[in-house]
Amino acid sequence: MSSELTGHAGELAVSVAQAHGVETMFTLSGAHVFPLYDGAVKAETPMRLLDVRHEQTAAFAAEATGKLTRVPGLAVLTAGPGATNGLSAVAQAQFAGSPMVVVGGRAPQSRWGTGALQELDQPPIFAPVSKLARTIPTADVVLDGMHEAFVTAGSSHRGPVFVDVPMDELFNSATGTLPAVAPQRGADPDPDAIATVAGLLAAAVRPVMILGTDVWADRAEEAALRFVETARIPAITNGMGRGIVPGGHPLLVTKARSHALKEADLVVVVGTPLDFRLGYGVFGDAKVVHVADSPGQVSTHAALAGSVSGDLTSVFDGLLNALQAPDWSAWTGDLQGAVAAAVQRDAALLGAEADPIHPARIYGELVPRLADDAVVIGDGGDFVSFAGKFVEPKRPGGWLDPGPYGCLGAGLGAAIAARLARPSAQVVLLLGDGAAGFSLMDVDTLVRHNLPVVMVMGNNSAWGLEKGPMQMLYGYDVIADLAPQTGYDAVVRALGGGGETVTDPREVGPALDRAFASGVPYLVNVITDVNATYPRNSFGV
């Protein structure tokens, strides 16, 4: 139902955002966007203002909010450096398909071209990493311009939108109609394409299904699990696809990923690009099917035996209706055996008594302490790669990582978003000591806004993801070391949180218990072995 509104442009913009389900404005104070704050404070239901210490954190928090809630997150960034400080988070959202709207301040239109403070034409900077980047030129088109921004961000394929509004126009008043907000749904999939994929599945002897972030983003997690369980097909999950098939489920074979993808004769990839994380879509001699939420996301570089695009719930249900699934129990049993063997191999690392501490020991202590509804956030290189190996969420929507853009420094913003979106859940931020340097000051934000988060750091005093490969290539490494055993927990304590340094593997568990019980932002700074690197076959090239 539409309604007539009168107010300054900041009030009108906030009204649109609230109509689209936004509850929080992430920002760092700047005069170019003051009317948006006034609109948030004076709204009939005031919008929460969450102010941070660096604009990157505001933008990363908005990006993570879009991931977690599946409603576009909102970041408001002042003009010039305020806006450009959020650029990496916008790029991350574009790569990950995260719905978010960034509203930038802009120098006054009446002064444009005369050298006003922070006068910069920002949309062309954001355009290459946004679904839409534009200036909303006047107050009287703010309602429609903001509505377009949120609809664009939240429709398949989801992603970021950047808009800015001239400062003088943001203060101006206008009257207009609040656009009606309708539920968004992807296109109906092509029945012939569904039939082709169903035929490939029916003919397969050793199929594997990979479920990625867009399955969650498209609200298709229930349909995906229904398909996996009804068809009895082995599944691997990645990104925010983690938890769709719960950890420990007999059809979840992520721990046997290498074996599964090497031996499969058909790999069906749903909701994630065929990029470096998936070998660019080459899985031995297997046929490959790519399923995406929109046509533009279907791979154009991989040799595909079939593809489908559209609303992913409709795709899963359509495949289920079209498929007479063969008996894949022998293949599933083989993979379950490989999973069991992997679990047995992992047990030694998870319980390692090594000194310095092996990073896997941290997960041996952490995983049993995670509740089913925990939100786990990864921000780091090798240390977070171990998390991907050992942490298997029990529910969907409980895992956040940077996605294919691989941007360090996203973690504090994501932790802020998770604490707001899931107020009763455990929120655990996994930090490398390198990654922490990008954003640890925003622990101050957690403290000021009373947002308790458990932060667990694997501190190997190095850029581990670079140190090992450089040694492998050249036989030496440079600029890959950080100060040894830095007391990052002291930084957290200075900012009003809690924390401790752990050097004994037997103390990791008790330290985690203290962190969960503390009720404050708490950093467990675990000194780990720099030589205990994550084994990997590729470096993203």
Side-chain angles (χ1 to χ4, degrees), residues 95-472:
F95 276 74
S98 309
M100 67 181 294
V101 173
V102 176
V103 180
R106 186 177 176 90
Q109 191 60 34
S110 60
R111 289 288 188 184
W112 196 260
T114 66
L117 174 66
Q118 296 167 346
E119 181 183 308
L120 176 67
D121 191 16
Q122 295 154 160
I125 299 172
F126 283 84
V129 291
S130 304
K131 290 187 70 178
L132 172 69
R134 60 167 293 214
T135 295
I136 300 176
T138 59
D140 61 354
V141 293
V142 162
L143 286 169
D144 288 340
M146 288 293 293
H147 179 64
E148 177 192 34
F150 278 98
V151 170
T152 302
S155 59
S156 300
H157 179 65
R158 295 160 189 83
V161 169
F162 176 84
V163 296
D164 61 10
V165 184
M167 183 179 183
D168 45 358
E169 289 294 332
L170 203 53
F171 278 89
N172 283 343
S173 293
T175 297
T177 300
L178 181 67
V181 177
Q184 298 182 60
R185 179 183 176 279
D188 291 331
D190 179 357
D192 291 338
I194 292 279
T196 297
V197 175
L200 289 165
L201 281 163
V205 177
R206 298 180 305 280
V208 175
M209 177 167 276
I210 299 176
L211 302 173
T213 293
D214 291 337
V215 178
W216 164 258
D218 212 39
R219 302 179 185 270
E221 66 274 12
E222 293 182 6
L225 181 59
R226 182 166 59 244
F227 179 85
V228 167
E229 291 185 328
T230 303
R232 305 296 298 168
I233 187 171
I236 294 169
T237 58
N238 77 354
M240 290 202 75
R242 291 172 176 268
I244 290 174
V245 182
H249 194 289
L251 292 169
L252 182 66
V253 298
T254 305
K255 290 185 181 297
R257 170 181 167 138
S258 295
H259 177 63
L261 297 181
K262 180 180 178 182
E263 299 297 330
D265 62 357
L266 177 68
V267 179
V268 180
V269 180
V270 188
T272 191
L274 299 179
D275 58 19
F276 69 93
R277 299 169 300 168
L278 291 178
Y280 304 101
V282 177
F283 308 102
D285 296 325
K287 294 178 179 179
V288 180
V289 168
H290 198 198
V291 180
D293 63 3
S294 56
Q297 295 303 303
V298 175
S299 174
T300 57
H301 66 262
L304 300 178
S307 66
V308 186
S309 64
D311 173 70
L312 293 182
T313 293
S314 298
V315 171
F316 283 118
D317 289 345
L319 286 174
L320 202 55
N321 290 333
L323 177 64
Q324 293 293 323
D327 181 2
W328 293 317
S329 58
W331 167 235
T332 301
D334 175 38
L335 295 178
Q336 289 170 339
V339 168
V343 170
Q344 190 171 11
R345 288 193 305 271
D346 291 345
L349 283 178
L350 292 168
E353 296 286 347
D355 182 10
I357 297 169
H358 193 290
R361 175 60 185 264
I362 300 171
Y363 296 108
E365 300 292 344
L366 175 63
V367 169
R369 290 172 166 81
L370 293 176
D372 286 358
D373 64 348
V375 180
V376 178
I377 302 156
D379 189 5
D382 266 10
F383 181 58
V384 174
S385 295
F386 280 108
K389 181 179 178 67
F390 298 125
V391 177
E392 289 192 332
K394 297 288 188 181
R395 297 181 187 175
W399 172 271
L400 284 172
D401 61 29
Y405 195 53
C407 194
L408 294 183
L412 260 294
I416 291 166
R419 182 76 287 154
L420 294 177
R422 310 277 174 82
S424 63
Q426 293 173 331
V427 176
V428 178
L429 171 58
L430 306 171
L431 283 168
D433 53 325
F438 287 84
S439 60
L440 199 61
M441 189 66 195
D442 261 304
V443 167
D444 172 72
T445 302
L446 294 173
V447 171
R448 284 185 295 108
H449 291 277
N450 190 27
L451 303 173
V453 169
V454 172
M455 296 166 281
V456 184
M457 177 181 287
N459 183 351
N460 63 3
S461 307
W463 297 102
L465 198 57
E466 285 66 41
K467 186 178 181 72
M470 193 169 185
Q471 288 176 338
M472 181 188 71

Side-chain angles (χ1 to χ4, degrees), residues 4-37:
E4 197 80 3
L5 296 177
T6 297
H8 62 64
E11 293 174 304
L12 301 180
V14 167
S15 296
V16 175
Q18 289 185 314
H20 281 271
V22 174
E23 297 179 350
T24 302
M25 180 186 299
F26 299 101
T27 192
L28 192 159
S29 188
H32 286 86
V33 291
F34 277 177
L36 287 156
Y37 305 153

